[in-house]
Amino acid sequence: MSPQVSIDEDVCIGSGTCVQIAPAVFELSDEGVAQVIDPNATELADLHRAEDSCPVAAISVEDE
Amino acid sequence: MAAPERVVIVGGGVAAQRCAFALRKRGFDGELTMISAEAEPPYDRTLLSKDMLRGARGEPCVPLQPQAAYAERAVDLRLATKASGLDVKAQRVALSDGTELDYDRLVICSGGRPVLPAALHCPGVLLLREVTDLEALQAKFADARRLAIVGGGFIGGEVASSAVSRGLEVTLIEAASQPLAAVLGEEVGARVAALHREKGVDVVAGAAVEGIAARDGGFELTLAGDRLLQADGVVVGVGMTPAVDWVEGCEIRIDDGIVTDANCRTEAHNVLAAGDCARWWNPRYETLMRVEHWDTAARHGAAAAAGVLGYDEPFAPVPFFWSDQHGVKFQSVGYAPDWDEIELEDGEVPGSFVARYRTQDRLVAAFAAGQPKTIARARKDIQASGRQEVEA
């Protein structure tokens, strides 16, 4: 089953950390809020790395 | 009140940038001018003491938006220009280039500047706030062997972390009994100190610095109890002060920052304030607050845009901040000027932990090391517990 990646848009501050780690998965919108383009575009480990590195803890990754 | 046609934003940080972009997003189509004292378009200040100082990224700073984005939104971004005076009756700002700007609404986001107490004055002592400070600090990193950092707060801790990772011998000097003890309590401060020591930082706590002198091409610091410490470089991170001297005497109430209501409005007609320089009424906590966190400043700028346009959208955030030290992410959510008890819980990963601050059995704040999911949950709990009062 593919991982569920969600971003709390009210919390995201657009630091771009997730985009740096997994540019194929995340992108920043014009408003500077991260969005998920394709949750399957990288390894699960990278998704968790993005989740852990988000400064404001706005990303959640469910892989079950 | 007539809709504004000319908005001037003084400031070049995240509050100013978010205010400008939020104004355009919400349909403001009048003249919009941003006055920034810095030479670079608004950039991510939080990275200066983190990735930038570690040398983890190539560029000098990471812009919040490409310069073209300002032109696309018809934002007249004037860099390397300072606001030097304000006439609230005439609704006019004087600029360092000798020109003046009339406004219908003025938003003051002039930020803060690092404090340098008289005892720490000595030529060559470094501070860190702007990208120009970073260049001096990087040069020091390149040629110094022993670095003394005065102040065990978040800036001091991040500089210490970056410096040991670059191979410097680092002494972190904190006047209180533990780093961060005043904001997070003794026990949590002790854990932060332990992390520093484990990574090779010499933490000297309970030692105020009484003087700094230039000595043999380096520095000699005198600590309380006449202890002497030699270093090739000194960085001071002992807090900041609102950069509001340019509006002093302007019929704007200043009391540890520019005082505003919940909609970012100052007592002066058509003048608003947001970010590090503002002390606003936070209805969630029913108190005046000045918060020096990036996350709050960004949201505050957007809230000021609502205030400019006359919307009643009280700014009632739960404060949040983060810090990266020695590869561990610290995150904090909530507002706890004091607390009844702190509950400490270790995480599965060695060194990770969460501290929950409670007042009258209610969770008011949480601080965690390496536990983003715990912080995300705590934020939801804290936001939910305050919501009724805010929305009532």
Side-chain angles (χ1 to χ4, degrees):
Chain A
M1 186 162 167
S2 66
Q4 298 287 312
V5 182
S6 59
I7 292 166
D8 188 335
E9 293 196 2
D10 293 334
V11 169
C12 175
I13 54 161
S15 73
T17 316
C18 56
V19 181
Q20 261 207 324
I21 291 170
V25 178
F26 302 97
E27 68 176 3
L28 283 184
S29 72
D30 287 348
E31 279 75 47
V33 172
Q35 294 176 327
V36 178
I37 338 165
D38 178 6
N40 298 305
T42 189
E43 308 278 314
L44 189 59
D46 281 340
L47 292 179
H48 281 301
R49 217 153 58 79
E51 179 184 31
D52 289 344
S53 71
C54 175
V56 292
I59 301 173
S60 105
V61 177
E62 304 292 338
D63 53 339
E64 292 163 45
Chain B
M1 203 186 295
E5 290 173 10
R6 296 164 303 179
V7 175
V8 173
I9 302 170
V10 171
V14 69
Q17 186 268 329
R18 291 290 165 99
C19 181
F21 280 56
L23 280 168
R24 287 300 189 220
K25 188 168 182 228
R26 300 186 76 154
F28 173 68
D29 61 1
E31 282 176 35
L32 182 50
T33 312
M34 259 178 90
I35 306 298
S36 174
E38 294 186 67
E40 300 282 342
Y43 54 87
D44 191 330
R45 219 183 281 289
T46 68
L47 290 174
L48 294 183
S49 49
K50 302 181 175 78
D51 296 25
M52 298 309 173
L53 197 48
R54 264 201 329 270
R57 302 199 191 194
E59 63 269 87
C61 61
V62 174
L64 298 178
Q65 290 283 344
Q67 195 144 10
Y70 297 86
E72 281 164 19
R73 287 166 179 77
V75 177
D76 180 4
L77 176 61
R78 302 197 193 171
L79 299 173
T81 308
K82 282 183 187 167
S84 53
L86 170 62
D87 183 336
V88 296
K89 286 205 177 64
Q91 302 202 161
R92 188 173 296 147
V93 184
L95 306 181
S96 57
D97 60 9
T99 61
E100 294 180 325
L101 270 178
D102 293 325
Y103 63 81
D104 299 316
R105 301 285 186 281
L106 171 68
V107 187
I108 301 175
C109 306
S110 48
R113 66 172 63 92
V115 170
L116 185 62
L120 309 181
H121 276 253
C122 180
V125 163
L126 301 173
L127 300 160
L128 181 55
R129 168 88 184 171
E130 300 181 353
V131 65
T132 47
D133 301 323
L134 179 70
E135 286 154 14
L137 197 46
Q138 278 173 330
K140 184 57 78 180
F141 270 30
D143 68 11
R145 188 170 60 82
R146 297 163 306 173
L147 187 71
I149 300 167
V150 184
F154 290 105
I155 291 285
E158 290 182 354
V159 172
S161 164
S162 299
V164 286
S165 80
R166 299 270 299 262
L168 278 76
E169 287 174 29
V170 181
T171 308
L172 184 66
I173 307 158
E174 167 58 46
S177 58
Q178 296 288 354
L180 301 167
V183 267
L184 299 173
E186 291 273 332
E187 250 184 307
V188 173
R191 286 187 175 224
V192 174
L195 173 67
H196 281 307
R197 291 189 176 114
E198 184 194 319
K199 301 294 179 179
V201 176
D202 182 15
V203 179
V204 179
V209 176
E210 294 178 342
I212 302 178
R215 189 85 75 222
D216 306 327
F219 300 89
E220 185 173 79
L221 293 81
T222 306
L223 310 190
D226 291 331
R227 180 176 166 187
L228 297 177
L229 182 81
Q230 271 75 34
D232 309 312
V234 180
V235 184
V236 173
V238 295
M240 55 153 274
T241 186
V244 294
D245 39 336
W246 69 281
V247 291
E248 274 168 14
C250 288
E251 297 170 48
I252 288 182
R253 190 173 151 216
I254 298 174
D255 177 10
D256 181 33
I258 296 171
V259 177
T260 82
D261 66 9
N263 292 310
C264 310
R265 293 176 300 211
T266 70
E267 286 179 354
H269 196 50
N270 290 333
V271 179
L272 300 92
D276 288 357
C277 71
R279 188 148 166 262
W280 90 102
W281 181 261
N282 185 334
R284 178 183 296 272
Y285 298 104
E286 297 186 324
T287 187
L288 283 170
M289 295 176 77
R290 193 170 68 77
V291 174
E292 300 167 357
H293 304 326
W294 180 258
D295 174 70
T296 306
R299 294 173 201 288
H300 208 172
V308 163
L309 299 174
Y311 299 120
D312 182 23
E313 297 175 11
F315 184 52
V318 173
F320 181 95
F321 68 84
W322 76 97
S323 177
D324 294 329
Q325 301 187 22
H326 307 293
V328 177
K329 190 173 291 294
F330 295 140
Q331 290 166 314
S332 168
V333 62
Y335 175 65
D338 47 43
W339 51 82
D340 294 339
E341 56 165 353
I342 301 176
E343 171 200 300
L344 265 167
E345 186 191 327
D346 287 306
E348 285 172 19
V349 179
S352 73
F353 68 90
V354 58
R356 293 185 179 85
Y357 299 74
R358 294 184 199 281
T359 298
Q360 293 170 349
D361 290 330
R362 209 161 60 95
L363 180 68
V364 290
F367 176 86
Q371 293 212 41
K373 284 182 189 166
T374 308
I375 282 294
R377 273 196 300 276
R379 175 166 47 210
K380 288 201 174 76
D381 290 346
I382 292 168
Q383 275 172 340
S385 76
R387 188 161 293 154
Q388 276 178 328
E389 295 100 281
V390 172
E391 289 181 354

